[in-house]
Amino acid sequence: MSGPGRWVPTVVVAFLAGCTAERSGVSSLPVASAAMPQLELVHDGSAVNDSIDDRWMKIDVDGRGRIAITPGESFNPRIRFVDSTGRFSGGAGPIGPGPGELGFPSRLWWIDSGLVAYETSRRVRIRYDQNGRLTGERPTQEGRVPVAASEEGVVEFTHSWRERQHAPSLTLRALNRNTSGVLLDDRQPQLRRALDQDIGIAITYPWPVVALDKGVLALIEPRTPTVWYFNLAGEFLDSVALAGAGRLRGPTEYAEEFATYARSAGSGTRGPDGKRYPGPDLDSLRTMFRVDRPPVASIHGANFDGHGRLWIIGPHNDSTRALVLSGTQVLGHLMLPCFRVGRFVAVSNRWVALLCSNGEGADPPFELQLYRIVEPVGKQP
């Protein structure tokens, strides 16, 4: 594992492939930096890793390198802040049912120098200032989950659309008001395509992979994979197909994943609606794991940095890979010493934060990594 201050080498790849659909003619993608950055490891969270004891954590990083994280169910406050030196420094959301208090947050983001957290049991969206003090709450809509956020608002998804036999939709909810508008629905066929579960394990892609920044929504179809860009009126802007971006399962992850599914084969698994569903067919899993190589975006999502570049981060052969795009141009990729990072990836204007798993039974089981985004000399955006 790399130590703090070590450079992670950049492997620049050629433009992989592009497929540009017909433009809407009303707007275009904003200009993003075309400089391929490097990442410098700032800390590996050694002062807090022993405290991270729960697999269902949330993570985000602000412009100062401060990480908001939910380390485990026993922590009070629920959300803790880890500063750029890798140590706990404050937090937000004391345990309880009252205003500003949390049972356990579903998602959280740093926005406008403050923190936004979704509380699932009371169904509210809570806003804290940068020091973790309550600034307000608003009720959330049943049947929707937050999937991305920026200064423009929070993108919410109708996660129960299949059960209710409705069309899937993405809406943008304002931060300071309880108003929302539709971003994508069945008028954009790309959304349903991005949610296709006909191939592979259904739970791999339960929600759309999206990112939001400066009037642009990026939607990723994880099987091809393809990135589609839309404006906030739902108008298509551009797209790029990422040929060769398939993800490779390494031998360690393969063994652990299969063992996890094998344990649930008899009893099944409990879904987000509380119902129990049959476990997987192990013979089918063996076959699929040999041939199915879902791309990096399908597991860990996408994030914009402060220069308009899109980062797609996820596992690759028991490590972690970051693809970096400037619009429809693939700038390159970075390989990071981080095993099975889960969904816990965050990117801000200058930072990349990862919560890595060292595997079942490892000591410690998790490692919190913070990287500084470093622009190439003479190519500052």
Side-chain angles (χ1 to χ4, degrees):
M1 190 71 69
S2 298
R6 289 190 61 185
W7 288 96
V8 177
T10 301
V11 182
V12 179
V13 297
F15 178 71
L16 299 175
C19 69
T20 305
E22 183 180 355
R23 296 177 182 272
S24 66
V26 296
S27 57
S28 59
L29 281 176
V31 176
S33 171
M36 178 64 189
Q38 292 182 315
L39 293 180
E40 181 184 10
L41 182 63
V42 177
H43 71 71
D44 59 6
S46 56
V48 303
N49 287 334
D50 289 343
S51 302
I52 303 173
D53 58 6
D54 187 275
R55 285 193 175 272
W56 298 103
M57 288 149 292
K58 292 81 192 173
I59 180 173
D60 201 32
V61 61
D62 70 5
R64 295 182 294 168
R66 185 173 52 159
I67 302 170
I69 186 173
T70 55
E73 293 189 0
S74 61
F75 269 71
N76 189 7
R78 288 296 200 198
I79 302 171
R80 296 299 304 272
F81 302 155
V82 179
D83 64 23
S84 60
T85 68
R87 298 183 180 277
F88 284 127
S89 178
I95 297 175
E101 298 175 338
L102 294 170
F104 208 68
S106 62
R107 296 294 297 276
L108 52 84
W109 289 275
W110 289 107
I111 304 175
D112 282 341
S113 300
L115 187 71
V116 174
Y118 274 65
E119 209 285 336
T120 53
S121 59
R122 292 192 293 121
R123 292 179 180 169
V124 292
R125 184 184 65 198
I126 308 175
R127 296 201 69 180
Y128 305 97
D129 66 16
Q130 61 181 343
N131 297 313
R133 294 186 293 259
L134 174 67
T135 60
E137 286 189 353
R138 292 190 179 275
T140 59
Q141 185 175 347
E142 184 179 0
R144 292 188 173 275
V145 294
V147 292
S150 75
E151 289 78 4
E152 293 144 314
V154 180
V155 179
E156 298 178 345
F157 173 61
T158 52
H159 66 87
S160 59
W161 64 278
R162 283 191 177 88
E163 292 80 2
R164 300 184 180 187
Q165 297 183 338
H166 292 168
S169 66
L170 288 172
T171 56
L172 181 63
R173 187 167 297 276
L175 291 174
N176 298 316
R177 304 182 305 277
N178 223 28
T179 58
S180 64
V182 175
L183 287 173
L184 306 180
D185 55 19
D186 262 11
R187 291 171 294 180
Q188 294 85 11
Q190 295 93 338
L191 177 58
R192 193 178 288 265
R193 179 177 165 185
L195 296 167
D196 180 20
Q197 296 182 358
D198 292 338
I199 304 172
I201 303 173
I203 201 171
T204 305
Y205 321 116
W207 299 344
V209 179
V210 294
L212 180 68
D213 182 63
K214 296 180 177 61
V216 174
L217 177 74
L219 170 67
I220 299 176
E221 191 279 297
R223 302 186 188 280
T224 311
T226 302
V227 181
W228 292 296
Y229 295 103
F230 300 86
N231 64 19
L232 300 191
E235 296 167 328
F236 175 76
L237 300 179
D238 216 331
S239 67
V240 57
L242 306 177
R247 168 186 167 224
L248 298 175
R249 282 187 180 87
T252 304
E253 185 192 19
Y254 177 97
E256 287 195 356
E257 277 196 18
F258 191 82
T260 299
Y261 283 112
R263 285 194 295 271
S264 65
S267 60
T269 57
R270 190 175 299 279
D273 56 2
K275 297 179 181 178
R276 188 166 289 279
Y277 294 87
D281 177 78
L282 297 184
D283 289 335
S284 298
L285 275 179
R286 288 188 183 94
T287 301
M288 190 198 69
F289 278 1
R290 293 189 188 102
V291 298
D292 176 33
R293 300 189 176 188
V296 65
S298 65
I299 307 298
H300 309 301
N303 295 265
F304 283 102
D305 65 15
H307 304 302
R309 293 172 300 215
L310 184 67
W311 293 68
I312 302 174
I313 301 176
H316 183 85
N317 199 20
D318 289 340
S319 290
T320 292
R321 178 176 60 181
L323 288 172
V324 185
L325 287 78
S326 175
T328 59
Q329 180 185 5
V330 180
L331 300 179
H333 71 187
L334 296 161
M335 295 302 297
L336 307 174
C338 173
F339 170 64
R340 205 170 66 182
V341 66
R343 293 183 184 273
F344 313 117
V345 175
V347 179
S348 67
N349 60 335
R350 295 177 52 216
W351 309 92
V352 174
L354 308 173
L355 187 60
C356 308
S357 167
N358 290 335
E360 295 184 13
D363 184 21
F366 297 99
E367 182 177 83
L368 182 66
Q369 296 181 357
L370 177 68
Y371 293 88
R372 181 181 291 108
I373 300 174
V374 181
E375 304 296 333
V377 176
K379 294 185 178 180
Q380 301 292 328

